């Protein structure tokens, strides 16, 4: 017989946890309640990663080993303590997304089957101007996590050369995320273009290790996924539990930890003790908001060299100056056919 629902106190509110004994991680035996208790243990850090941000609900209702579904619109009925933000998708349609700003909101999302939390890089007070740049380092099949760590340190040095402070965390999957807080003065097109310019500069400094090639057939080493900064794209936030067999966590770390860190070091089981002992390496992430101007100037310099817009994901409207969304091998095939 299933365990009855539980009611937990989360800050000023009570949250109902249904099916608390439901196994979410079969290999480890972790249940929904285990995930809830994990988030309770790191709640300040988890909230810092999603605070006042519209959030896509990535729901693993059948457990971490099954396919999730994405729920962008906040489900009804909502608990009285949770509010929403109205956002516009690239298609032009609007929707109300859930916004987390207190512990009860996070536990409510976990109860719906959200293992990782996936916020937009904007705040609910201005949903069209990001306040966070996301530098996503994603290894290609020929790269290792050692390559990712090497590139992360180059990213750190490059950010510092332009006057930025980045905050690093493991992705909990195969890569590393570096977050940079910026003033919310620029819209998505500008912030994405700024990240493209930055990624190209990193690639210029080590072309054997880094790539900005959008098409997989052209990539090598570690891909800097600039399109994670496009409207409606999200990444797992700090302290998110990822759907790996060992319940790995997207864990904030200090920069001096990067060279020796391993993805398997940070799990649902290990991170609470780490957090209790050392605190949150991202505790100061809100202390400064950088100007985007240094990267926009870099972008303008690159444009003079012929480096303009880069491809967007296929579901996005065509951007001004964007190159053709055709795989290079297919373009070559078309040219060859026409010339024969």
């Amino acid at each position: 017989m299933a365990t009855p629902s539980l009611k937990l106190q989360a800050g000023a509110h009570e949250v109902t946890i249904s099916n608390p004994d439901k196994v979410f991680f079969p290999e480890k035996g972790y249940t929904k309640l285990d995930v809830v208790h994990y988030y309770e243990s790191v709640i300040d850090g988890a909230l810092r990663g999603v605070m006042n941000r519209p959030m896509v609900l990535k729901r693993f209702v059948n457990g971490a080993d099954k396919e999730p579904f994405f729920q962008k619109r906040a489900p009804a009925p909502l608990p009285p303590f949770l509010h929403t933000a109205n956002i516009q998708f690239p298609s032009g349609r609007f929707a109300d997304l859930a916004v987390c700003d207190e512990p009860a909101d996070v536990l409510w999302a976990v109860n719906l089957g959200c293992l990782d939390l996936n916020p937009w890089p904007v705040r609910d007070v201005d949903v069209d101007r990001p306040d966070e740049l996301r530098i996503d380092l994603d290894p290609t099949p020929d790269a290792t996590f050692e390559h990712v760590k090497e590139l992360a340190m180059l990213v750190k040095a490059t950010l510092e050369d332009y006057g930025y402070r980045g905050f690093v965390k493991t992705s909990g999957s195969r890569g590393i995320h570096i977050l940079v807080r910026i003033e919310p003065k620029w819209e998505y097109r500008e912030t994405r273009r700024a990240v493209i310019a930055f990624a190209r500069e990193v690639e210029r400094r080590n072309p054997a290790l880094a790539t900005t090639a959008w098409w997989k057939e052209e990539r090598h080493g570690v891909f800097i996924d600039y399109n994670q900064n496009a409207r409606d794209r999200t990444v797992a936030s700090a302290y998110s539990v990822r759907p790996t067999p060992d319940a790995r966590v997207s864990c904030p770390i200090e920069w001096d930890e990067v060279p020796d860190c391993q993805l398997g070091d940070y799990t649902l089981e290990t991170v609470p003790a780490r957090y209790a002992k050392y605190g949150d390496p991202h505790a100061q992430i809100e202390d400064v908001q950088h100007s985007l101007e240094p990267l926009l100037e870099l972008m303008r310099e690159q444009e003079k060299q012929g480096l303009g817009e880069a491809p967007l994901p296929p579901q996005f409207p065509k951007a001004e100056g964007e190159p053709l969304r055709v795989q290079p091998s297919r373009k070559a095939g078309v040219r060859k056919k026409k010339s024969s």
Side-chain angles (χ1 to χ4, degrees), residues 47-283:
L47 270 175
R48 190 173 289 112
V50 299
M51 180 64 74
N52 295 327
R53 301 185 184 280
M55 188 168 69
V56 173
L57 302 176
K58 183 181 177 184
R59 300 179 60 181
F60 293 85
V61 294
N62 295 312
D65 59 333
K66 303 295 190 301
E67 284 296 312
F69 71 91
F70 290 86
Q71 186 168 2
K72 295 185 176 182
R73 291 169 172 79
L78 288 174
F81 54 78
L82 192 136
H83 73 281
T84 61
N86 191 254
I87 59 87
Q88 185 178 25
F89 299 119
S91 64
R93 296 192 299 271
F94 288 84
D96 293 327
L97 270 64
V99 175
C100 291
D101 59 10
E102 53 187 329
D105 301 335
V106 172
L107 300 193
W108 166 83
V110 173
N111 182 60
L112 291 180
C114 296
L115 301 177
D116 46 25
L117 307 178
N118 290 267
W120 282 40
V122 297
R123 308 282 184 164
D124 54 358
V125 294
D126 190 344
V127 296
D128 294 314
R129 290 174 175 81
D131 74 333
E132 183 174 82
L133 301 183
R134 296 170 174 179
I135 303 168
D136 181 7
L137 307 184
D138 185 15
T140 61
D142 66 327
T144 67
F145 191 56
E146 296 302 312
H147 294 121
V148 176
K149 293 187 291 184
E150 180 183 353
L151 186 58
M153 298 309 294
L154 176 58
V155 167
K156 177 181 185 290
T158 309
L159 284 172
E160 291 172 349
D161 286 347
Y162 285 90
Y164 294 97
R165 181 181 180 185
F167 288 80
V168 63
K169 66 184 182 72
T170 64
S171 72
S173 179
R174 299 180 61 240
I176 278 177
H177 299 154
I178 296 116
L179 311 177
V180 180
R181 289 285 197 269
I182 59 168
E183 299 168 330
K185 295 180 178 179
W186 296 271
E187 297 188 354
Y188 274 98
R189 184 175 188 273
E190 295 167 300
T191 56
R192 174 180 166 274
R193 287 294 305 279
V195 174
I196 293 171
F198 177 80
R200 285 170 171 163
E201 173 60 17
V202 173
E203 182 181 31
R204 185 192 68 79
R205 295 184 182 199
N206 192 335
L209 179 62
T211 182
T212 60
W214 176 247
W215 300 104
K216 291 184 179 180
E217 64 189 49
E218 293 187 320
R219 293 179 192 170
H220 65 274
V222 181
F223 174 49
I224 307 174
D225 190 354
Y226 55 84
N227 271 332
Q228 294 293 17
N229 295 272
R231 179 186 288 271
D232 194 28
R233 296 295 286 259
T234 63
V235 298
S237 62
Y239 295 102
S240 284
V241 180
R242 306 308 307 277
T244 61
D246 55 352
R248 292 182 184 179
V249 168
S250 182
C251 188
I253 58 177
E254 301 287 356
W255 278 108
D256 62 7
E257 295 182 278
V258 170
D260 296 322
C261 78
Q262 297 298 326
L263 293 168
D265 294 343
Y266 312 106
T267 69
L268 179 150
E269 191 169 339
T270 64
V271 169
R274 169 187 165 88
Y275 187 90
K277 184 174 182 179
Y278 299 110
D280 181 12
H282 286 194

